[in-house]
Amino acid sequence: MHAHRHDDGAVTLEAPPTDAELLARLRARDPAAERQFYERHVDRIYRLIHRMCGRPELAQEWTQDTFLRAFNRLDQFRGDSALGSWLHAIAVSVTLNGLRTHKRREAFAAPLEEATTVAANGAEHSDPDLKTRLKAAIAALPEGTRRVFVMHDVEGFTHEEISDALGCAIGTSKSQLFRAREKLRNALAAFAPTAAFRLGKESA
C-alpha cells in the first residue's frame, strides 16, 4: 500500500496496481511502473535463477537480463498466463541459455556456503556432511528433473505454475518431480537413511 497526502493534510492508502494496470503503464514506458514491476518480482526471480545455476554472480547477471528481455518483449505478452508466470518463463529461458555457455562443472561450482538448496529448509541443525551430499545430488540431477525439483520443492511453485513457466504439460512436471525425488532418494539412501525416508514420504 502507498500513502497519498491530500492538500488538506489527510492521508489515504492506495492499493498497489494490478498486473493489468501495471502492464498498461509498462507498455507506455512509464519508469515508475518499470521500477514497481522490478521491485515486485526481483527477489523471487533472483532466487529461482540462483537455485538453478548455483552462482550468485551469474544469478545477478541473468536476473538483470531477464528484466531487460521482459521490458523489450512486452508487446509479445498476450495475457494467456499471469504476468509473473510469463516473467518466470523468461527467467528460465535466460538461465538455460546461460548455462549452455558454461561447462556443467563450472556452472555449479559455487561455494557451499553460498549455494542454497532444499537442505536449508529441511533442518538447520542437520549433519553438514548430509547438506554437502544433498547439494551435490541436486547438482547432479539431469537438467529437466533438477529444474522442476528446484521450482516445486525448493521455490514452492505449483505444477500449474511450472507448466506455464516451462511450457510443458502438468503431467510432465509431475513425472519430472517424481524422477528427481527418486534419484535423490537413491543418492542419499546409503549415506543418510533418514533423509531418504523424508524424500520418500514427500513423494508419497
Side-chain angles (χ1 to χ4, degrees), residues 69-82:
R69 187 173 298 187
F71 290 143
N72 289 330
R73 295 185 177 183
L74 285 171
D75 291 340
Q76 298 178 19
F77 178 67
R78 303 180 180 224
D80 297 331
S81 61

Side-chain angles (χ1 to χ4, degrees), residues 25-150:
R25 291 170 54 199
L26 286 170
R27 284 175 168 163
R29 301 299 178 184
D30 179 349
E34 292 182 351
R35 185 170 59 252
Q36 281 182 304
F37 180 71
Y38 180 86
E39 292 174 350
R40 179 178 293 185
H41 295 285
V42 64
D43 288 343
R44 194 170 187 189
I45 292 298
Y46 174 83
R47 284 199 309 271
L48 170 62
I49 295 176
H50 186 220
R51 303 280 190 184
M52 293 179 68
C53 75
R55 293 181 60 172
E57 70 276 13
L58 290 180
Q60 291 173 4
E61 176 185 345
W62 294 343
T63 295
Q64 299 303 317
D65 289 348
T66 295
F67 281 94
L68 287 173
R69 187 173 298 187
F71 290 143
N72 289 330
R73 295 185 177 183
L74 285 171
D75 291 340
Q76 298 178 19
F77 178 67
R78 303 180 180 224
D80 297 331
S81 61
L83 194 56
S85 296
W86 176 73
L87 183 64
H88 295 150
I90 293 176
V92 169
S93 176
V94 167
T95 304
L96 294 180
N97 288 336
L99 287 174
R100 289 188 187 105
T101 67
H102 291 76
K103 292 182 180 179
R104 193 165 183 274
R105 285 179 180 267
E106 181 184 0
F108 290 93
L112 292 175
E113 65 271 18
E114 292 180 350
T116 51
T117 68
V118 69
N121 298 326
E124 293 182 2
H125 306 292
S126 63
D127 186 338
D129 289 336
L130 172 59
K131 290 184 180 181
T132 299
R133 183 65 173 264
L134 183 55
K135 291 175 195 294
I138 292 174
L141 288 172
E143 190 174 272
T145 54
R146 182 181 64 249
R147 199 161 61 232
V148 172
F149 176 81
V150 166

